[in-house]
Amino acid sequence: MGLLDRAGARLTNHPDEADILVVNTCSFIDTAKQESVDTILEMARHKTSGSARKLIVAGCLVERYRDEIMKSIPEVDAVVGTGELESILEAAGLARPTAVVPISPFTILTSTQVAVTHPGKESQAGTHKHGHQESARMKGTGFSPYIQPAEEDGALAPEVKFRPEGDLRESQGRFKRDDWQGATHLLPTYLYDESTPRFLTTPKSSAYIKIAEGCDHPCTFCVIPNLRGKFRSRRFESVVAEAQSLVARGVQEITLIGQDTTCYGEDLGIKDGLATLLDALARIEGVRWLRFLYAYPNRITGKLLETIAKHDNICKYLDVPLQHASPSVLKTMKRGAGADIFLKTLDKVRAAVPGIALRTSFIVGFPGETQGDIAILEDFVTEAKFDWLGVFSYSDEEGSGAFSLDTKVPKRTIESRKRRLMKLQQSISKNAKQQWVGRELVVLAEGESEETPLLWEGRTQFHAPEIDGKVYINDFAELGADVTELQPGHFYKAEITEAHEYDVVAKILAGPL
């Protein structure tokens, strides 16, 4: 979106008004692929019946089905893979601009100005896969041209190196995708940096920063490495510069993301890279909340926990997608460990950071999973008492290591196990949320509830954006004001007054803070 804007396009949230339609896809699990395809077909109908001249498909579906997309959907004019982001200009028919872009050219939009769809909102690996539907319309005939050297607009710089682990796994065939329909043999190597133009489509107070791309882990349920390439970190200074730029524009909550943030800096030779980065970002004046997603369980170091505990503005929140608790299932997943080791890890985390909120996700129905394995998982969930928990049905993905396994679990059994586990967690969550009643917490007000304008919604530091429960705000009397005077994107002191399975109700005590 940033590249298109800099080249003269105007974004619109009305596809029927657009000259150019862009669908940014996900291809990780079946439901995400289906939603992506449905969106492409919907945009194809807009093209044939409306004013759109071009339909462009971008993202992970292109990496996997490049040829099939062009063959099966003739309305598609161009495809842009995950390593070809700058090709969006050529695909849209825009000439590469010719002037130099200033450092950190961020353009911030409110969330109501850009249409966003979410094919595959959260993956079975516990990683967000946001697919975006964008519509672009040209701003007349003139646009501000610019040129950026390849090293500055996100291309792979000559000095970038990969982790030895990634190089080893590549030699072992981990990233192989020869059988995919039209996939290029070269893995994506793209990384954006602080000078890459982008739009901020989240609420004005919050922003995500991607600190790394790709993944080297051998998990047999996952094709992300094949789609995204080997793990590679952004430069330390680049991430800090982007954070400073965002804060200067009013952002107060920063969420660091990547397929594996806990490996950050290993390819750059930075010891305890994520902890070091968090320490630097937490010192930026104006950063009120700082968090990261996601933590690989065996990379939760003492230094990382010490850093989280040390800074008040680092959210006391940790998302650790464990995937299962049965040692036999985890071994087949090529994850390792098991319930006993995980419980020791959780004890270490809670001891180092008292009051921390813990989130995890599990896959049920992995090939070979038995009722005994599910019993181990249920016992573990009961003992671990996670604050937030997601359960995903196993998706049999061609190209994954598990695809060739013969011991598939019937879909009906998978769904039954999923329901049982979620019902168990519901009870745990309800009891835990009851302990919140009477607590005074800082709440980020996000806006009116979709249910009624008499309620507002918000989050505490213990809620990550979009994935956890909600704080419903129903009492504003202490402010001496009514609901209309609450301001979205501002922080307030609140008291929790009611608790439900996943959500809580609060009254505002003071603010904005």
Side-chain angles (χ1 to χ4, degrees):
M1 289 190 288
L3 289 166
L4 288 166
D5 175 72
R6 286 288 171 181
R10 178 172 62 84
L11 298 181
T12 172
N13 58 351
H14 301 292
D16 55 346
E17 295 180 354
D19 298 313
I20 302 165
L21 300 166
V22 183
V23 180
N24 190 25
T25 61
C26 180
S27 183
F28 182 50
I29 56 178
D30 283 339
T31 52
K33 285 188 289 187
Q34 187 60 55
E35 190 172 346
S36 295
V37 170
D38 290 345
T39 304
I40 296 169
L41 295 175
E42 180 186 352
M43 293 303 106
R45 289 191 291 272
H46 274 288
K47 181 186 174 186
T48 56
S49 63
S51 62
R53 295 181 287 104
K54 289 190 175 184
L55 172 58
I56 302 168
V57 177
C60 289
L61 203 70
V62 173
E63 290 295 326
R64 192 162 186 177
Y65 301 108
R66 181 183 301 260
D67 291 350
E68 187 65 24
I69 291 169
M70 299 297 291
K71 177 183 176 182
S72 302
I73 311 176
E75 293 88 352
V76 174
D77 298 284
V79 292
V80 179
T82 60
E84 306 164 326
L85 270 67
E86 292 171 306
S87 298
I88 190 67
L89 299 181
E90 289 75 15
L94 304 179
R96 175 172 284 276
T98 57
V100 176
V101 164
I103 296 299
S104 302
F106 293 98
T107 303
I108 296 183
L109 293 181
T110 65
S111 58
T112 59
Q113 291 175 283
V114 178
V116 180
T117 60
H118 299 279
K121 187 167 185 180
E122 186 168 359
S123 75
Q124 66 182 20
T127 303
H128 294 292
K129 302 288 156 221
H130 294 288
H132 304 280
Q133 169 199 316
E134 309 159 14
S135 303
R137 188 176 186 178
M138 301 306 300
K139 295 177 181 173
T141 56
F143 54 81
S144 302
Y146 71 103
I147 286 179
Q148 290 190 124
E151 294 82 12
E152 293 185 6
D153 55 14
L156 180 66
E159 69 273 19
V160 170
K161 297 180 180 179
F162 298 108
R163 299 164 66 238
E165 184 177 356
D167 292 334
L168 173 62
R169 295 232 161 91
E170 183 177 26
S171 70
Q172 296 170 340
R174 172 64 177 116
F175 304 95
K176 186 178 179 181
R177 50 187 190 168
D178 296 343
D179 296 334
W180 287 6
Q181 300 163 7
T184 58
H185 293 289
L186 293 176
L187 290 169
T189 56
Y190 182 86
L191 273 174
Y192 86 92
D193 65 21
E194 78 283 3
S195 69
T196 308
R198 62 171 278 193
F199 274 107
L200 183 63
T201 58
T202 47
K204 63 181 181 179
S205 60
S206 302
Y208 294 96
I209 296 179
K210 179 169 278 192
I211 64 173
E213 184 62 271
C215 181
D216 296 334
H217 294 301
C219 309
T220 56
F221 54 80
C222 183
V223 295
I224 284 177
N226 310 65
L227 295 168
R228 291 281 174 173
K230 292 190 288 186
F231 178 87
R232 52 207 185 273
S233 303
R234 283 179 57 190
R235 292 180 298 107
F236 189 94
E237 297 81 4
S238 175
V239 177
V240 173
E242 183 177 4
Q244 291 171 331
S245 177
L246 289 167
V247 170
R249 287 157 175 80
V251 170
Q252 298 183 72
E253 177 188 32
I254 291 175
T255 301
L256 307 180
I257 58 171
Q259 279 82 39
D260 180 4
T261 54
T262 43
C263 280
Y264 176 78
E266 290 184 12
D267 51 327
L268 304 177
I270 304 175
K271 182 176 175 59
D272 289 310
L274 180 58
T276 304
L277 180 63
L278 286 169
D279 186 71
L281 296 177
R283 297 175 188 275
I284 297 175
E285 186 175 354
V287 175
R288 187 185 289 265
W289 283 354
L290 175 64
R291 75 177 82 240
F292 64 94
L293 309 170
Y294 305 86
Y296 204 77
N298 66 357
R299 282 182 163 78
I300 301 173
T301 65
K303 180 69 173 178
L304 179 60
L305 295 175
E306 176 187 323
T307 304
I308 295 172
K310 180 172 66 173
H311 294 283
D312 291 339
N313 60 349
I314 296 182
C315 295
K316 306 310 180 252
Y317 180 100
L318 192 65
D319 190 336
V320 192
L322 297 176
Q323 313 306 353
H324 216 282
S326 166
S328 63
V329 173
L330 287 164
K331 182 178 180 180
T332 310
M333 287 180 170
K334 290 194 176 179
R335 295 279 293 190
D340 291 344
I341 294 174
F342 290 158
L343 286 171
K344 291 178 181 178
T345 299
L346 299 180
D347 286 344
K348 180 178 75 170
V349 170
R350 285 168 167 150
V353 190
I356 193 169
L358 293 174
R359 188 186 208 285
T360 194
S361 54
F362 296 115
I363 299 170
V364 293
F366 187 81
E369 181 188 68
T370 66
Q371 190 56 49
D373 295 322
I374 285 294
I376 292 173
L377 179 55
E378 290 175 345
D379 289 345
F380 171 69
V381 169
T382 300
E383 189 167 356
K385 291 182 172 56
F386 290 98
D387 297 273
W388 311 109
L389 186 150
V391 182
F392 301 95
S393 302
Y394 170 74
S395 181
D396 202 25
E397 294 302 311
E398 186 176 0
S400 69
F403 186 74
S404 60
L405 297 177
D406 295 328
T407 51
K408 299 295 193 295
V409 179
K411 288 186 177 180
R412 178 177 292 185
T413 302
I414 293 175
E415 294 308 310
S416 174
R417 291 174 179 178
K418 178 180 178 179
R419 287 193 298 271
R420 278 173 52 97
L421 198 57
M422 286 308 299
K423 186 175 181 180
L424 172 62
Q425 175 61 23
Q426 186 178 49
S427 174
I428 294 170
S429 179
K430 184 176 182 179
N431 290 334
K433 296 301 173 289
Q434 289 293 336
Q435 306 305 312
W436 286 38
V437 176
R439 292 179 65 181
E440 294 184 2
L441 300 170
V442 173
V443 172
L444 170 60
E446 295 187 301
E448 289 183 0
S449 171
E450 295 179 357
E451 298 181 12
T452 169
L454 299 178
L455 285 175
W456 267 51
E457 295 179 2
R459 292 185 289 112
T460 72
Q461 65 164 310
F462 307 115
H463 298 77
E466 301 183 86
I467 60 173
D468 296 323
K470 297 178 180 179
V471 177
Y472 289 103
I473 305 167
N474 69 347
D475 188 342
F476 315 88
E478 294 290 338
L479 289 180
D482 62 23
V483 62
T484 62
E485 296 184 44
L486 213 61
Q487 300 178 58
H490 286 69
F491 294 80
Y492 295 85
K493 184 179 179 181
E495 179 184 341
I496 307 302
T497 57
E498 298 177 35
H500 302 280
E501 284 86 356
Y502 301 114
D503 306 318
V504 294
V505 179
K507 68 176 180 180
I508 299 297
L509 300 177
L513 303 178

